[in-house]
Amino acid sequence: ATNYFTSNTAPLTNVIPILTRDADDVLVACGVVDGNKLPRIADINAVLKLGARLPNEIFDFSTNFTVQAIHEGSNYDDPLNLIKRKGVTTVNLAAMMNNRELGLTLRFYVNNLTDEEDPRQLGGGTFLTDNPDPTVRPGMTAAWNILPRRPREIGLTAIYNFQ
């Protein structure tokens, strides 16, 4: 098991030893985080959203357009700053048409227009492995987990208000 705690040997210096237990259940330091960047925290994150409303109605529908760009800056995925992730920018588009007389709203959208495939998050850890033999204690196995980003998504939403 990995334990994270503030070191008692270096007061107020933000040194966080990362410890693991060896086969004899003795704590062993495998790395020290001193001055590293926090994991999964980017220096720059930004969102830009632009919207426009057409001055004229098309087929008695008022029309709105929006474009949204989301930038997630580069960051490290681990406390030791070993796994560096690149910055990712995704773009979303939407067009909405609304007819109040008919009670009908249509929305066409494209999310992740650039089809960015870089995963949202990478992670590591351990999990218990169970043995069907009750005389054998469970063991620990290393594991990776990946949280994927949603792929390009294209859709049409229709809303009808019954009056």
Side-chain angles (χ1 to χ4, degrees):
T2 302
N3 300 308
Y4 301 91
F5 58 89
T6 304
S7 172
N8 294 331
T9 61
L12 303 175
T13 59
N14 298 326
V15 176
I16 302 174
I18 298 175
L19 304 175
T20 59
R21 295 185 185 274
D22 66 7
D24 298 325
D25 208 28
V26 176
L27 289 174
V28 179
C30 63
V32 175
V33 179
D34 184 9
N36 288 355
K37 293 189 176 195
L38 292 172
R40 299 181 193 94
I41 304 293
D43 289 336
I44 297 174
N45 286 325
V47 175
L48 175 65
K49 185 173 184 177
L50 302 173
R53 181 179 185 135
L54 292 181
N56 299 327
E57 293 186 352
I58 301 171
F59 304 111
D60 293 328
F61 281 87
S62 61
T63 306
N64 300 316
F65 294 99
T66 58
V67 177
Q68 182 181 37
I70 303 168
H71 177 75
E72 302 166 41
S74 65
N75 61 75
Y76 291 96
D77 225 26
D78 64 309
L80 295 177
N81 291 175
L82 299 175
I83 304 171
K84 184 164 184 172
R85 307 278 311 281
K86 68 177 186 167
V88 174
T89 302
T90 55
V91 177
N92 302 325
L93 302 174
M96 185 178 298
M97 300 178 75
N98 185 14
N99 186 317
R100 291 183 190 268
E101 290 179 20
L102 295 177
L104 181 63
T105 302
L106 301 173
R107 181 177 179 264
F108 174 75
Y109 61 91
V110 180
N111 292 332
N112 194 1
L113 178 68
T114 56
D115 201 18
E116 184 60 54
E117 294 179 343
D118 194 57
R120 283 201 156 293
Q121 182 178 342
L122 298 173
T126 57
F127 64 93
L128 288 173
T129 56
D130 196 10
N131 192 317
D133 184 352
T135 61
V136 177
R137 74 179 197 181
M140 297 292 283
T141 301
W144 280 95
N145 59 54
I146 298 173
L147 179 61
R149 187 173 304 275
R150 292 181 67 104
R152 181 182 300 132
E153 181 179 37
I154 300 172
L156 176 66
T157 304
I159 301 170
Y160 183 75
N161 292 324
F162 295 93
Q163 300 171 2

